[in-house]
């Protein structure tokens, strides 16, 4: 099922992002997570894709497993950095045969172990190039990543928005945001996007802060600001994971409630392969 069609018929919904477990057959925890979250009748579930090569086959295997075992709509994240057109064609043909109809088209990040990696030498330089390539199949629904606080490499948020518009115009049906913890970044992004003529749905990416230390490291890399408010509330509990998780979930509930009150229809959850935090948040919302 193409997500672009689902978005036309469903006026509310959630989606869940997973990363591929090491092995599907041995991963009872992963199966349980998917089965738990299936109950929320998600619009789709997506599986991340390792830019460095490590998890590429695992992504496809995970997607195929989900399709075989459930009736969920799936989306593959797909990075193009360092890929050839021929390699990408093989992946897309395989997806098509297996009815994997949705692609989150990404550039990906240069491999950490290659410090002088030259982006411009590849057959795909930006996500836009992959969007164009995938659109050429006239088969897939295409999503792209967007950055409410700007992408960490971009010269500024205005330029970043221009590049975002270019990749959307290349054939994207919807966008998913990088995690953000202060909704003002999302509202401001949406206002700027509207001004520049972006009209596709932009799903906010929700990351419950269940471990302040770990998320802080990750958020710095992703250019996402963690509000002082949550840092202060969590500070006394840094050695108490259950308390931190409780505070993070309560914060995310308030964040999602505010988004819904302000007209947001769809929420994309970064699950980190756990069902508990997303379930607790959704159970407390009125969608
Ligand atoms: P692009 O849109 O190509 O942008 C990259 C940079 O280039 C930006 O700074 C942009 O402003 C700039 N740019 C774009 N076009 C031009 C141009 N014409 N000229 C000059 N500059 C330009 N990574 C993974 O490895 N695997 C995943 O599964 C994965 N999933 C993700 C899911 C979501 C929802 C998000 C938000 C990110 C995900 N990422 C994933 C991370 C992503 O790969 C990185 O953020 C990466 O650095 C940028 O990818 P992009 O597709 O946004 O790139």
């Amino acid at each position: 099922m193409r997500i672009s069609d689902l978005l036309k018929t469903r006026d509310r919904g959630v989606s869940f992002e997973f990363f591929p477990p090491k092995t599907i057959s041995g991963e009872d925890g992963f199966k349980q997570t998917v089965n738990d979250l299936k109950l929320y009748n998600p619009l789709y579930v997506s599986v991340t894709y390792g830019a460095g090569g490590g998890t590429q086959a695992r992504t496809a295997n995970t997607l195929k497993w989900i399709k075989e075992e459930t009736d969920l709509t799936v989306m593959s994240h797909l990075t193009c950095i360092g890929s050839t057109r021929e390699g990408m064609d093989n992946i897309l043909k395989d997806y098509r045969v297996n009815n994997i109809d949705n692609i989150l088209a990404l550039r990906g990040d240069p491999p950490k172990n290659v410090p002088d990696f030259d982006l411009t030498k590849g057959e795909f330089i930006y996500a836009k190039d992959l969007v164009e390539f995938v659109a050429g199949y006239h088969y897939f629904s295409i999503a792209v990543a967007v950055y409410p606080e700007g992408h960490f490499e971009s010269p500024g948020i205005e330029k970043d928005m221009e590049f975002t518009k270019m990749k959307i115009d290349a054939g994207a049906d919807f966008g998913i945001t990088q995690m953000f913890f202060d909704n003002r970044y999302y509202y401001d992004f949406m206002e700027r996007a509207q001004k520049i003529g972006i009209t596709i749905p932009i799903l906010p990416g929700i990351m419950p802060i269940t471990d302040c230390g770990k998320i802080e490291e990750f958020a710095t890399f992703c250019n996402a600001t963690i509000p002082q408010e949550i840092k202060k509330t969590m500070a006394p509990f840094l050695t108490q994971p259950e308390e931190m998780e409780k505070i993070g979930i309560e914060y995310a509930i308030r964040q999602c409630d505010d988004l819904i009150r302000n007209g947001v229809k769809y929420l994309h959850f970064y699950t980190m392969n756990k069902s508990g935090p997303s379930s607790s948040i959704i159970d407390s919302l009125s969608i």
Side-chain angles (χ1 to χ4, degrees):
M1 183 65 142
R2 287 165 53 93
I3 297 169
S4 52
D5 295 329
L6 284 172
L7 291 170
K8 282 179 203 144
T9 54
R10 285 185 56 182
D11 68 348
R12 293 209 166 275
V14 292
S15 54
F16 301 112
E17 177 174 317
F18 304 120
F19 57 83
K22 286 212 169 82
T23 61
I24 298 292
S25 53
E27 279 292 340
D28 287 341
F30 180 73
K31 291 181 183 174
Q32 192 58 51
T33 297
V34 174
N35 284 323
D36 289 348
L37 293 175
K38 201 169 73 174
L39 303 175
Y40 294 96
N41 187 20
L43 284 162
Y44 66 87
V45 298
S46 72
V47 179
T48 61
Y49 188 86
T55 69
Q56 296 173 2
R58 295 213 307 258
T59 301
N61 292 341
T62 305
L63 290 160
K64 288 173 193 172
W65 177 83
I66 297 173
K67 275 208 74 84
E68 277 162 23
E69 298 290 321
T70 72
D71 55 1
L72 292 168
T73 296
V74 297
M75 175 168 73
S76 180
H77 295 212
L78 193 56
T79 60
C80 60
I81 199 166
S83 300
T84 60
R85 285 170 179 267
E86 191 188 351
M88 207 48 93
D89 181 52
N90 288 336
I91 293 172
L92 292 170
K93 279 184 181 148
D94 178 57
Y95 281 172
R96 202 173 156 162
V97 168
N98 286 284
N99 298 318
I100 294 164
D101 305 335
N102 305 288
I103 305 289
L104 172 54
L106 298 150
R107 186 200 69 181
D109 291 307
K112 288 195 183 81
N113 54 353
V114 188
D116 51 357
F117 188 89
D118 185 354
L119 276 168
T120 59
K121 294 246 162 76
E123 292 189 27
F124 300 89
I125 300 176
Y126 297 112
K128 172 178 167 279
D129 305 328
L130 181 60
V131 174
E132 271 166 7
F133 189 77
V134 179
Y137 288 74
H138 303 287
Y139 174 80
F140 298 98
S141 178
I142 304 172
V144 288
V146 303
Y147 302 84
E149 297 184 57
H151 183 260
F152 68 95
E153 285 169 32
S154 74
I157 53 170
E158 295 309 326
K159 211 66 200 150
D160 202 41
M161 185 60 86
E162 280 172 34
F163 296 141
T164 299
K165 169 96 165 63
M166 279 159 60
K167 78 174 161 183
I168 289 172
D169 289 348
D173 298 305
F174 67 105
I176 305 172
T177 75
Q178 181 57 277
M179 60 173 144
F180 61 91
F181 305 102
D182 181 337
N183 289 349
R184 281 176 299 183
Y185 289 115
Y186 177 79
Y187 300 138
D188 174 63
F189 175 89
M190 293 305 287
E191 209 176 300
R192 289 184 291 113
Q194 205 181 10
K195 272 191 194 140
I196 202 172
I198 293 174
T199 54
I200 57 169
I202 304 288
L203 280 56
I206 306 298
M207 171 75 95
I209 303 180
T210 50
D211 181 330
C212 205
K214 270 194 203 151
I215 297 272
E216 214 167 347
E217 204 179 299
F218 193 39
T220 308
F221 174 70
C222 296
N223 200 25
T225 309
I226 302 194
Q228 285 303 326
E229 176 201 338
I230 189 152
K231 281 194 204 168
K232 270 194 202 151
T233 319
M234 273 195 186
F237 303 105
L238 293 182
T239 54
Q240 298 172 47
E242 280 176 19
E243 275 304 313
M244 273 201 291
E245 181 162 316
K246 209 169 121 205
I247 294 166
I249 288 172
E250 280 165 10
Y251 186 88
I253 292 169
R254 287 198 300 279
Q255 184 186 6
C256 293
D257 263 335
D258 181 77
L259 288 167
I260 292 167
R261 270 201 312 278
N262 281 283
V264 168
K265 299 194 227 163
Y266 312 107
L267 298 168
H268 176 87
F269 287 91
Y270 294 105
T271 69
M272 306 304 284
N273 287 6
K274 287 190 198 164
S275 60
S278 307
S279 303
S280 303
I281 296 163
I282 299 166
D283 288 343
S284 305
L285 302 172
S286 51
I287 48 173

